[in-house]
Amino acid sequence: MTDYSDSAQETKRKLDVISPSFCLAKWNMVSLHLTNGKTHSCYHPPTHDIPTEGLADNPGLLHNTPQKIEERAMMRKGERPKGCSYCWRIEDAGHTSDRHYRSSEWWNSPDFEKIAFNTDMDTSITPAYVEVNFNQACNFKCVYCSPHLSTTWQEEAEKYGAYILKDAAHNHLGALTEYGLMPKKMSQKENPYLEAFWKWWPDLYKNLKIFRMTGGEPLMDQNTFKVLDYAYANPNADLELSITSNLCPPKQELFDKLITSIKKLEEIQIWEDPDKFNPNSGNYSYVAPAIKHFSLFVSCDSYGKQAEYIRTGMDFEKLDRNVREFLKKTDGTNITFINTFNILSVPKLKQFLQWILDLRREFGSELQEQKIITVEGHPSVIRKKRQRIWFDIPILHTPSWLSIKMLAGTEMEAVMEECLEFMRENLDTSDNVWPAALCFEGFRQYEIDKVQRDLDIMRSGKAKNELDIDMVRFYQYVDELDRRRGTNFKETFPELINFYERCKCSS
Ligand code: SF4
């Protein structure tokens, strides 16, 4: 059992003292979608509307919505809010759920007493973990994305309409509008949610432990840089800041601006804080970077031309250049590549893994040795060696016709086996106990386990009736993508031609 699992089990016992459905994430964690005025607690429950009434005077309503207040009351009584079914299903199957994991995390667990034994928090809490989508502006239109999350997708849908597939109209603007998912038609100046956010921000910031900016492409939005500037001017030693970026912004200046901002945040500086007396200097100054840590999340689901096909708008060479430049020019940072694992990710998985390995060999850790930075009259700042290159490989479930389950029984299973063998040959056994790991240059056992899990899910396949429909949809979808985007599926994915032909025959 890992430390993470141990601490989730320990947290479960604490949560059970309040009730068997109590979850700190319902209080202390929020995702905000400021383009359409929606929120959820963690990202599993469906989003719901943020009320506009009273928002201007009480911006905390962005998080403390009537729906969440009702759900917190349910959790205190041991009832299960319907939107949290992701966790209930896992728990009913006898496993540890995200309710336990999330509640056990470093930014959440210290607040257990404060939240558990203080019902005032049910109506008015300032969360420690905040994720925000300021803008759907994006220069990419990834094949599994949607017009409500990308302006480029929206433009395509306005020009050509929905993708008409077997028994489905995919990414239909009318339907997305009806579900309340499309951004509301207003400028940022008129956006009451954005206005409330900035009104709330100074209070929110004091308590923040994790702040993530998503999108759209966050580098295309001025609010992203406003946050980075604010963090520089207002140091917060507990704050982990992150951005999820495609790292191919339409203007290279935006990437350069990001690097400049991060380098400033990393500088060790002398700060004044009336709450921090320094016995060495006899005054209230201390030395530290402005924030605890900065992480970049980069979505990339394959390698080279196949990655470009999946994420229309990507220039893989530019991505690789920007990744290396980011790693060279900053040193307290890390990058996590998110490979949203779908049918089109499989053929070049080995090249993707080789790329990760090459980056790990070049930039494995921030420092070769622990770095001690001394400023006269102050305790030394110690920068520990830390892992810089991470990756995750979550499974794509929708659209269903891009699911890896479609590849059960195909030659792609052997491709996955070969990838697993490659990872085992490059296993990093240096020291698996975080944070003492010394190498960071191979693959970790838990990463191999995740790829094995993906292969197992691929092999589990689909029910015949679902598979029959999705095979037709797959063929229709890639043909229409090629027509609209001027791409060529068969040329780009020679490894999947047999599969494509079988789909075509079944239509
Ligand atoms: S119970 Fe699960 S789904 Fe609900 S807020 Fe907690 S972690 Fe999220």
Side-chain angles (χ1 to χ4, degrees):
M1 189 181 273
T2 65
D3 288 348
Y4 192 34
S5 300
D6 283 343
S7 107
Q9 286 307 315
E10 176 56 31
T11 301
K12 179 179 182 313
R13 284 189 281 278
K14 283 168 77 177
L15 297 173
D16 282 349
V17 171
I18 306 300
S19 93
S21 63
F22 194 64
C23 172
L24 294 183
K26 191 63 78 187
W27 279 256
N28 224 5
M29 182 175 189
V30 60
S31 289
L32 296 169
H33 302 271
L34 300 180
T35 55
N36 57 11
K38 293 202 179 272
T39 179
H40 37 177
S41 30
C42 74
Y43 47 77
H44 296 310
T47 57
H48 63 270
D49 289 335
I50 298 165
T52 46
E53 198 179 336
L55 189 59
D57 296 328
N58 175 16
L61 265 178
L62 286 170
H63 174 45
N64 299 302
T65 60
Q67 178 165 330
K68 281 191 211 170
I69 291 169
E70 196 184 319
E71 289 174 349
R72 290 170 191 158
M74 289 174 75
M75 284 183 164
R76 282 202 185 274
K77 289 189 270 179
E79 295 166 12
R80 290 176 156 190
K82 201 166 135 228
C84 296
S85 57
Y86 178 87
C87 284
W88 314 139
R89 271 201 300 272
I90 291 172
E91 290 176 30
D92 290 346
H95 300 296
T96 308
S97 75
D98 269 7
R99 182 169 74 88
H100 312 119
Y101 283 116
R102 294 240 171 266
S103 299
S104 74
E105 291 195 17
W106 70 270
W107 48 268
N108 216 351
S109 61
D111 289 338
F112 174 77
E113 311 279 328
K114 180 180 96 177
I115 294 170
F117 303 112
N118 183 356
T119 48
D120 287 351
M121 294 286 148
D122 296 3
T123 51
S124 169
I125 183 167
T126 308
Y129 186 122
V130 178
E131 190 170 302
V132 65
N133 168 5
F134 285 121
N135 198 328
Q136 48 123 219
C138 185
N139 53 330
F140 278 23
K141 43 182 175 181
C142 307
V143 295
Y144 47 70
C145 193
S146 165
H148 70 284
L149 295 169
S150 155
T151 41
T152 312
W153 243 115
Q154 184 177 351
E155 281 159 21
E156 183 184 284
E158 279 166 357
K159 184 170 176 191
Y160 296 105
Y163 280 73
I164 304 302
L165 311 175
K166 185 174 170 62
D167 304 334
H170 178 59
N171 279 345
H172 188 283
L173 285 175
L176 292 168
T177 307
E178 203 174 305
Y179 291 134
L181 292 174
M182 289 305 291
K184 294 186 192 297
K185 288 196 169 75
M186 58 192 166
S187 68
Q188 287 205 336
K189 276 191 186 145
E190 299 161 333
N191 183 332
Y193 312 105
L194 188 61
E195 194 183 328
F197 174 85
W198 283 114
K199 190 167 180 188
W200 195 29
W201 176 247
D203 283 340
L204 185 62
Y205 186 78
K206 285 182 212 145
N207 189 52
L208 265 187
K209 303 281 190 297
I210 306 257
F211 187 71
R212 283 184 75 162
M213 290 173 274
T214 64
E217 168 49 47
L219 296 186
M220 291 170 69
D221 189 83
Q222 54 174 349
N223 290 287
T224 304
F225 293 100
K226 197 168 161 184
V227 167
L228 298 177
D229 289 346
Y230 188 95
Y232 180 65
N234 299 274
N236 178 345
D238 293 330
L239 178 62
E240 291 198 1
L241 257 182
S242 64
I243 292 179
T244 302
S245 172
N246 62 39
L247 227 52
C248 289
K251 293 182 190 155
Q252 192 63 14
E253 301 97 270
L254 294 171
F255 173 72
D256 298 340
K257 198 172 165 186
L258 172 71
I259 298 226
T260 306
S261 300
I262 303 310
K263 282 170 74 76
K264 277 167 67 182
L265 289 174
E266 284 182 338
E267 283 166 19
I268 303 291
Q269 297 189 61
I270 302 178
W271 306 96
E272 298 293 328
D273 186 335
D275 295 329
K276 284 190 182 167
F277 180 68
N278 176 355
N280 291 330
S281 63
N283 59 32
Y284 290 84
S285 67
Y286 68 100
V287 288
I291 58 167
K292 185 177 174 188
H293 186 56
F294 179 83
S295 304
L296 194 58
F297 289 81
V298 177
S299 303
C300 183
D301 318 299
S302 180
Y303 184 83
K305 294 288 169 208
Q306 295 192 358
E308 290 174 357
Y309 187 99
I310 299 170
R311 295 178 61 76
T312 312
M314 174 193 277
D315 172 343
F316 188 84
E317 281 184 15
K318 182 174 168 182
L319 171 77
D320 182 59
R321 266 199 315 276
N322 284 344
V323 162
R324 287 166 193 280
E325 195 174 332
F326 179 83
L327 292 164
K328 273 186 202 146
K329 290 191 170 169
T330 64
D331 76 352
T333 58
N334 65 271
I335 295 186
T336 301
F337 294 94
I338 306 291
N339 183 334
T340 306
F341 206 51
N342 68 87
I343 284 190
L344 308 181
S345 309
V346 182
K348 292 277 186 275
L349 177 60
K350 190 167 172 196
Q351 285 84 342
F352 172 84
L353 293 168
Q354 181 68 61
W355 185 50
I356 297 288
L357 196 57
D358 292 346
L359 289 170
R360 281 185 173 170
R361 285 180 177 151
E362 193 172 346
F363 302 99
S365 60
E366 173 195 0
L367 303 164
Q368 291 310 309
E369 301 298 337
Q370 185 170 275
K371 193 168 168 182
I372 300 173
I373 301 157
T374 310
V375 176
E376 205 182 332
H378 294 86
S380 299
V381 177
I382 299 173
R383 278 201 163 156
K384 292 192 180 134
K385 187 169 177 169
R386 67 189 306 158
Q387 183 171 349
R388 298 200 75 194
I389 311 293
W390 300 74
F391 81 95
D392 197 4
I393 190 155
I395 294 166
L396 177 117
H397 294 290
T398 54
S400 58
W401 54 92
L402 295 180
S403 160
I404 52 170
K405 289 182 173 187
M406 309 265 294
L407 296 174
T410 68
E411 51 275 53
M412 289 300 117
E413 289 185 3
V415 171
M416 296 280 291
E417 289 286 8
E418 200 189 320
C419 291
L420 281 162
E421 194 48 42
F422 173 71
M423 292 178 85
R424 283 186 212 108
E425 282 164 10
N426 290 283
L427 181 66
D428 179 357
T429 53
S430 57
D431 185 345
N432 276 328
V433 183
W434 177 260
L438 293 171
C439 179
F440 309 125
E441 290 178 5
F443 296 106
R444 292 287 167 152
Q445 185 57 49
Y446 77 89
E447 293 171 330
I448 297 174
D449 293 345
K450 280 190 178 179
V451 174
Q452 180 66 56
R453 173 206 64 188
D454 289 3
L455 173 57
D456 293 344
I457 289 188
M458 178 195 282
R459 283 190 167 131
S460 71
K462 283 185 172 239
K464 181 160 184 338
N465 56 338
E466 284 176 35
L467 181 64
D468 288 347
I469 292 175
D470 278 339
M471 284 180 77
V472 179
R473 287 177 177 170
F474 177 82
Y475 151 73
Q476 292 173 326
Y477 191 53
V478 296
D479 267 18
E480 184 60 11
L481 281 171
D482 284 353
R483 189 183 75 79
R484 293 183 181 194
R485 301 183 180 187
T487 47
N488 188 324
F489 177 79
K490 290 208 274 187
E491 249 177 55
T492 315
F493 293 89
E495 306 92 336
L496 289 175
I497 287 181
N498 288 346
F499 175 73
Y500 169 89
E501 294 298 346
R502 283 201 298 279
C503 292
K504 190 173 178 179
C505 287
S506 68
S507 68

